[in-house]
């Protein structure tokens, strides 16, 4: 029985309006997957970018494996994402034409123990949108407190 790992990008829902989500595989080295299984990764500052019709996750932080030797990985490096050609073509068109961005939302391991990255096609929010989402969160929290008291 494998322990599932879920690492979220909490800033993504606050800073961006998520239009569509995809699940992509990641090309990792041996020590990188070991660090992810220990939960030592961070995707809050990362983003995705195209290079030669391939999608890469940039600025993703995966801590160096403590028991690694000279073959240990770099903490911040470009990591290739694996998607279908049809999905990649659609993402390229939407990023170039509409000015949208691709942001990692969640890093997780599936039931087979493979690391996956949930990415979202996003549009940046304006400051008034952010205030509106904060207001919605506050009212929801207040309603939950009132419901709990009854």
């Amino acid at each position: 029985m494998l322990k599932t790992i879920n690492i979220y990008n909490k800033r993504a829902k606050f800073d961006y309006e998520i239009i569509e989500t995809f699940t992509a595989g990641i090309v990792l080295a041996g020590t990188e997957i070991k660090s992810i299984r220990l939960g030592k990764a961070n995707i809050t500052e990362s983003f995705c970018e195209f290079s030669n019709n391939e999608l890469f996750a940039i600025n993703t932080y995966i801590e160096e494996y403590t028991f690694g030797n000279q073959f240990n990985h770099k903490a911040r490096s470009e990591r290739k994402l694996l998607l279908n050609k049809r999905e990649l073509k659609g993402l390229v068109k939407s990023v170039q034409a509409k000015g949208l961005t691709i942001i990692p939302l969640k890093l997780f391991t599936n039931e087979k123990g493979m690391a996956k990255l949930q990415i979202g096609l996003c549009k940046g929010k304006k400051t008034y949108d952010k205030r509106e989402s904060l207001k919605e969160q506050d009212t929801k929290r207040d309603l939950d407190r009132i419901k709990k008291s009854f």
Side-chain angles (χ1 to χ4, degrees), residues 84-131:
N84 294 332
K85 280 187 180 180
R86 188 179 319 126
E87 292 173 335
L88 283 173
K89 286 180 183 178
L91 285 173
V92 168
K93 286 179 185 178
S94 59
V95 166
Q96 289 176 348
K98 300 175 187 171
L100 302 174
T101 57
I102 303 170
I103 303 294
L105 303 174
K106 177 179 166 184
L107 179 65
F108 64 97
T109 56
N110 63 2
E111 53 277 345
K112 292 182 182 179
M114 307 286 275
K116 302 285 183 179
L117 188 68
Q118 184 181 19
I119 58 175
L121 188 63
C122 303
K123 180 181 176 184
K125 281 187 182 178
K126 305 286 184 197
T127 54
Y128 56 85
D129 291 333
K130 292 179 187 178
R131 282 180 279 179

Side-chain angles (χ1 to χ4, degrees), residues 74-91:
K74 293 179 186 175
R76 292 194 188 272
S77 64
E78 294 182 354
R79 292 172 175 88
K80 184 177 175 180
L81 299 179
L82 306 172
L83 287 168
N84 294 332
K85 280 187 180 180
R86 188 179 319 126
E87 292 173 335
L88 283 173
K89 286 180 183 178
L91 285 173

